Amino acid sequence: MKYNKTINIKTSSRDEFINVTGIIRSCIDESGIKDGICHLFNPHTTAGLTINEQADPDVVSDIIRQMDKVFPWNNHYLHGEGNSAAHMKASVFGSSLAILVEQGKPVLGTWQGIFFCEFDGPRSRKLNMKIV
Amino acid sequence: MKYNKTINIKTSSRDEFINVTGIIRSCIDESGIKDGICHLFNPHTTAGLTINEQADPDVVSDIIRQMDKVFPWNNHYLHGEGNSAAHMKASVFGSSLAILVEQGKPVLGTWQGIFFCEFDGPRSRKLNMKIV
Amino acid sequence: MKYNKTINIKTSSRDEFINVTGIIRSCIDESGIKDGICHLFNPHTTAGLTINEQADPDVVSDIIRQMDKVFPWNNHYLHGEGNSAAHMKASVFGSSLAILVEQGKPVLGTWQGIFFCEFDGPRSRKLNMKIV
């Protein structure tokens, strides 16, 4: 039993974390898979995926702001496009994520939300999913 | 063939890496699965998972200390709970990890150990596992 | 249907990202698996795995250079071997990666390449793969 899906995401600023937890819950539900793994893959080199607190939006704001200090946007980079910092954040946050599925639901902690991380927006993005 | 398990972990300081390699070996053994994937998932937003050297405990100490410099505990963060640095480390270390299983054992390098990373302890934590 | 492979990699400098996209495409092809997951695992504690831009080599150069600033090679670390910075980068980049396979090919974005990240070379390295 397998389920493939591509989710379209529109981002509206340079750095933005889009909460995709609801969409992913719906997809798992639609797949009919009760016990398995939900693989998420981000096909972009200036975006990432993460799981973090979704209750207080200040958490995401703090993460975005501190990452901008650690990987400054302007820092005499070689890459001509000028978005090297976004590429760095992409590698730090990672491209793939595996979520356990039990009783037809994602196994997530109380405070956890799944986020698509935009690091060079605004753009139209895709998120690939395969539930097995 | 599937095996689900939740491991309970007690941490005793704010930043602490708990070596869970032995428990995971036992679970793989108990599952009877000889060739597959062991998925680990951390359901907390101020903890993480990593694989790193287990021979010299100074490696983990150095990692913890440098991460505290890169993501300082006090840094005028917005999040009222005061643990934003722990949330950042959680995103950097990641929530999910996939370990290959061959001949009933995890495929790990000579120096590798699997660590549950506490970034806002001491707390009672859980680690979710699914072997497929 | 399962396919296991160990890829041998020779690195030639301390920090170096080796593009393994071509080898991985060949392995997926050889496996005959059309729809599945390609799990990659790095069995070393001073190396990592990442997916990032392969078109402009300046992106990788910028990432390597900035990571060296965030995790300086010499920084009064405790670990006697002197390569603590490499261990930190290993944890940040991560040990495992899951790539979706559809129609016998890895699902990758236009600019994405898969890289084995050497952080303490030159060395002979291995990369473990399991396609399911």
Side-chain angles (χ1 to χ4, degrees), chain A residues 6-10 41-44 47 49 116 123-128:
Chain A
T6 302
I7 298 165
N8 292 300
I9 295 168
K10 282 236 174 242
F41 186 81
N42 151 45
H44 307 284
L49 292 172
F116 179 89
R123 296 201 194 208
S124 290
R125 301 293 204 173
K126 288 186 189 302
L127 173 60
N128 301 122

Side-chain angles (χ1 to χ4, degrees), chain A residues 45-65:
Chain A
T45 58
T46 54
L49 292 172
T50 201
I51 292 177
N52 219 305
E53 180 173 332
Q54 61 178 354
D56 178 5
D58 281 348
V59 170
V60 163
S61 302
D62 284 339
I63 295 173
I64 287 174
R65 211 168 46 141

Side-chain angles (χ1 to χ4, degrees), chain B residues 50-55 59 63 97-100 107-115, chain C residues 5-11 14 16 18 20 40-50 79 81 83-96 115-129:
Chain B
T50 201
I51 292 178
N52 218 306
E53 180 172 331
Q54 62 179 353
V59 170
I63 294 173
L97 207 55
I99 292 153
L100 313 189
V107 178
L108 290 170
T110 317
W111 307 102
Q112 285 184 322
I114 308 162
F115 294 91
Chain C
K5 184 95 172 189
T6 302
I7 298 164
N8 292 300
I9 295 169
K10 282 234 173 245
T11 63
R14 200 195 74 192
E16 185 183 4
I18 309 283
V20 291
L40 299 177
F41 187 82
N42 150 45
H44 307 285
T45 58
T46 54
L49 291 172
T50 200
H79 180 48
E81 228 188 308
N83 60 355
S84 281
H87 286 287
M88 288 163 203
K89 294 172 191 170
S91 275
V92 170
F93 282 75
S95 309
S96 72
F115 293 91
F116 179 90
C117 312
E118 173 63 82
F119 297 124
D120 189 26
R123 295 201 194 209
S124 291
R125 301 293 204 173
K126 288 186 189 304
L127 172 59
N128 301 122
M129 186 193 301

Side-chain angles (χ1 to χ4, degrees), chain A residues 1-118:
Chain A
M1 221 171 155
K2 268 175 226 160
Y3 173 93
N4 290 331
K5 183 95 172 189
T6 302
I7 298 165
N8 292 300
I9 295 168
K10 282 236 174 242
T11 63
S12 55
S13 54
R14 201 195 74 193
D15 290 274
E16 185 183 5
F17 284 19
I18 308 282
N19 193 329
V20 292
T21 319
I23 308 170
I24 289 164
R25 279 187 196 279
S26 304
C27 290
I28 292 173
D29 201 49
E30 195 183 287
S31 77
I33 293 170
K34 298 296 175 200
D35 185 359
I37 304 287
C38 171
H39 290 278
L40 298 176
F41 186 81
N42 151 45
H44 307 284
T45 58
T46 54
L49 292 172
T50 201
I51 292 177
N52 219 305
E53 180 173 332
Q54 61 178 354
D56 178 5
D58 281 348
V59 170
V60 163
S61 302
D62 284 339
I63 295 173
I64 287 174
R65 211 168 46 141
Q66 183 66 15
M67 287 296 160
D68 201 43
K69 287 185 191 170
V70 177
F71 304 104
W73 193 259
N74 296 305
N75 204 15
H76 306 289
Y77 300 122
L78 301 169
H79 181 48
E81 229 188 307
N83 60 354
S84 281
H87 286 287
M88 289 163 203
K89 294 173 191 170
S91 276
V92 169
F93 282 75
S95 310
S96 72
L97 208 54
I99 293 153
L100 313 189
V101 177
E102 282 171 33
Q103 297 173 295
K105 288 178 197 327
V107 178
L108 289 171
T110 317
W111 307 103
Q112 285 185 321
I114 308 163
F115 293 91
F116 179 89
C117 313
E118 173 64 81

